Amino acid sequence: MDPIKNLISGSDPLRDDPAAVPDAEAALRRVTTEAPMFTDSLPPNVLRFEDRKRRRARVAGVLTLAAAAVTAGVLVATNLGTLVSAPEPAGPVAPSPSESTVSATPTPTATRTAGATPTPTATGAPATWTTFTDATGQATFEHPLGWKVSQEPQTIDGGQYNIVEMKNAAGKNMATLRLVYDVTGGPVCPDPKPYQTLDSVVVDIPQKAAKLREHPQGPSAFVFRVIQGDKVYGSLALADGDLAPQPTTCGLYNGILGPDNVPIAQFGDAVWLTADGRDAPLTFGSVAEAKAYMGTQEYRDVKRMLISLALQPAKTAASSPRFVSQDGKASFVLPEGWTAKDVPVGTPDYPGSGITVSDEAGKTAARFEHRAAGGLGGACTQGTYKITELDSGAASLSDAWAVERGVRFSYRVMDKTSLGQGFSYQLGLVDKDSGSVSDSCLMYTVVTGTPVGLLSFADRAVQDPAEPTFTTLAEARAYMETPAYKKLKGMIQSLKITL
């Protein structure tokens, strides 16, 4: 190809079509023989040299940006994984088929004292959620499908109550819902500690109108609170708002008033978070670690479950299987499978009525006595032992004399480990005299000063050398979580008498 043909074929750098190449000799002939033509314009499919340069620059710029975007996308995907927005619900939510998860950098570890130390992480397969309604029909909430539910419904004085435990697929306790008959008093301590509320979401659960007037407080809410002691102790639960919060505390109560005609509700990982961290469900090295825990999947799952709680009165009134004494003066709720029978007590000079209660196995669980008798006696001649009250609750006795005497349910232990005898215990009705928790060598679980005389409704009214004991205080505390203890406590609290 001669030089002129090369020039013509290279006139368009973006298009080189051999079939469209003109005849070089014919073109030369026209240039030398035809009249000259001049124009300032070019055909639309022909670019000026300057335009070709600018076009090449633009193409190069686009390719550079595309390469940078691809590189950035690789980096984002490498560090963040799939980016999905999944906001937390602000109230009860309908069951969803799945919940999105977010991959993240290494997450904090929160020690759960109720089981093995967890290593919560924000990664994992999306969870499928389901809805649970408890056996009493009063509580409904959501939870991940693989979590395990156990419950202990019971009837006390005609009311329906329940304890529902939630464990994850690995068997670790995540939260407990308690629909309870009463609430025990809070802890006291010589050195209150500062605390913070790190997260709070108001829930759509009505509060008992009468209780709200009696105890004014803020709305019920999900809260994540921590107490700063020797470590940072935390708890996730539902709680009523405090209208006059203090900067320090001995303990934070986790419970809500709930609607009318529904029991007191406690839903969370603990009923009390104490300043000393005893039985704290979560332990952190710092507040910063506690805040970082809020980014974990475990935190989000528990939060969603707690926020989803809905409460409503039972659809049908519960029956009241009360045992009534032969003389008709004493009655109480008898646990299912338990039996009771009247027994003679007292003397012709000090008459009275008595009842023996046996459990499902036929073992004596408690005794009731109401008879004329004297007061308490006895003295410590060989030293005293530490007495600790582990549980306390209201009694159904509401007559003026019972209120004046301060009648209540009490569970106390006496530390006799120095003698190699472990911890002896008693549980039943006491008053302001017999229910003392000061060091002593004697424990009495009786009510004195009734219009008739002495009243006792307990597992044992006085100490017995052959009585069962616990080896450690931890065993004594664990007893409170057993069905036998809960049945016994509910039965004793339900006692009503006619004088």
Side-chain angles (χ1 to χ4, degrees):
M1 183 182 294
D2 58 31
I4 295 177
K5 184 177 292 187
N6 286 336
L7 177 63
I8 295 173
S9 66
S11 62
D12 187 352
L14 300 180
R15 181 172 182 271
D16 186 6
D17 186 358
V21 176
D23 182 74
E25 295 180 358
L28 178 60
R29 189 180 304 113
R30 287 195 300 270
V31 171
T32 57
T33 61
E34 295 179 2
M37 295 178 61
F38 301 96
T39 177
D40 291 334
S41 64
L42 292 171
N45 62 337
V46 179
L47 295 176
R48 291 186 178 91
F49 179 72
E50 292 80 0
D51 292 338
R52 290 201 302 272
K53 291 173 63 179
R54 284 194 292 269
R55 179 170 178 176
R56 289 175 178 173
R58 286 197 297 269
V59 171
V62 170
L63 293 176
T64 302
L65 291 175
V70 170
T71 303
V74 171
L75 292 176
V76 170
T78 301
N79 288 279
L80 296 181
T82 304
L83 300 182
V84 181
S85 176
E88 296 289 349
V93 292
S96 60
S98 64
E99 180 176 71
S100 300
T101 57
V102 181
S103 298
T105 52
T107 53
T109 296
T111 301
R112 283 190 177 270
T113 57
T117 300
T119 53
T121 175
T123 61
T128 300
W129 288 71
T130 187
T131 301
F132 169 81
T133 299
D134 85 304
T136 71
Q138 297 175 103
T140 299
F141 58 87
E142 297 178 351
H143 67 84
L145 187 60
W147 288 16
K148 303 169 186 177
V149 186
S150 62
Q151 55 182 325
E152 298 177 5
Q154 59 179 316
T155 300
I156 302 175
D157 199 18
Q160 296 187 59
Y161 305 89
N162 204 353
I163 296 178
V164 183
E165 293 185 346
M166 299 299 305
K167 296 182 179 181
N168 66 9
K172 180 175 65 179
N173 286 323
M174 305 306 295
T176 300
L177 169 65
R178 295 177 173 87
L179 302 176
V180 296
Y181 186 84
D182 69 332
V183 177
T184 59
V188 295
C189 61
D191 185 19
K193 301 296 183 181
Y195 73 96
Q196 296 184 48
T197 300
L198 302 183
D199 192 7
S200 178
V201 178
V202 174
V203 294
D204 185 20
I205 299 178
Q207 296 171 302
K208 294 180 177 67
K211 288 291 185 181
L212 201 57
R213 288 192 297 269
E214 182 181 355
H215 304 289
Q217 50 199 328
S220 302
F222 161 83
V223 290
F224 175 33
R225 299 181 289 186
V226 296
I227 298 179
Q228 296 171 256
D230 55 338
K231 295 182 179 179
V232 176
Y233 304 108
S235 174
L236 285 72
L238 298 186
D240 290 327
D242 189 351
L243 297 181
Q246 302 297 316
T248 60
T249 185
C250 284
L252 298 172
Y253 171 65
N254 292 326
I256 61 176
L257 292 177
D260 291 325
N261 302 316
V262 172
I264 298 170
Q266 300 164 342
F267 196 20
D269 52 17
V271 176
W272 283 96
L273 179 64
T274 59
D276 60 6
R278 186 185 67 189
D279 300 328
L282 295 167
T283 301
F284 305 96
S286 65
V287 173
E289 284 187 11
K291 291 180 178 179
Y293 176 61
M294 295 165 58
T296 65
Q297 190 65 46
E298 179 177 282
Y299 180 91
R300 288 194 292 268
D301 287 344
V302 175
K303 177 180 178 178
R304 172 175 171 173
M305 179 177 65
L306 298 181
I307 288 176
S308 71
L309 178 68
L311 297 171
Q312 58 279 322
K315 295 181 179 180
T316 58
S319 60
S320 180
R322 298 186 71 86
F323 175 84
V324 182
S325 62
Q326 288 180 347
D327 59 11
K329 294 183 178 181
S331 69
F332 49 85
V333 175
L334 192 64
E336 184 178 357
W338 290 23
T339 58
K341 63 179 181 179
D342 289 87
V343 294
V345 297
T347 65
D349 295 331
Y350 296 98
S353 59
I355 303 170
T356 297
V357 181
S358 302
D359 62 16
E360 301 95 330
K363 180 182 177 181
T364 298
R367 291 185 176 86
F368 167 82
E369 288 190 16
H370 193 198
R371 59 187 174 85
L376 300 177
C380 297
T381 59
Q382 297 181 352
T384 60
Y385 310 97
K386 182 176 179 59
I387 295 177
T388 304
E389 185 173 61
L390 299 181
D391 193 11
S392 179
S396 295
L397 302 178
S398 57
D399 293 336
W401 68 266
V403 175
E404 191 278 329
R405 294 298 302 165
V407 179
R408 72 179 196 280
F409 170 86
S410 177
Y411 170 42
R412 295 168 297 161
V413 297
M414 178 183 291
D415 184 358
K416 302 181 74 173
T417 55
S418 60
L419 301 179
Q421 298 178 12
F423 291 83
S424 62
Y425 65 96
Q426 295 178 16
L427 60 135
L429 297 182
V430 297
D431 60 20
K432 58 185 179 182
D433 290 335
S434 63
S436 173
V437 292
S438 59
D439 293 355
S440 179
C441 64
L442 300 170
M443 278 197 301
Y444 295 102
T445 305
V446 296
V447 175
T448 61
T450 76
V452 174
L454 185 123
L455 168 69
S456 172
F457 195 21
D459 65 336
R460 60 187 67 86
V462 295
Q463 289 173 254
D464 182 348
E467 67 187 2
T469 60
F470 297 108
T471 304
T472 64
L473 191 59
E475 288 184 6
R477 294 185 187 279
Y479 176 52
M480 294 189 293
E481 301 302 321
T482 64
Y485 176 89
K486 294 169 184 176
K487 292 178 181 179
L488 190 55
K489 177 182 177 180
M491 180 186 69
I492 293 173
Q493 286 182 291
S494 71
L495 175 68
K496 293 182 178 180
I497 60 174
T498 302
L499 301 178

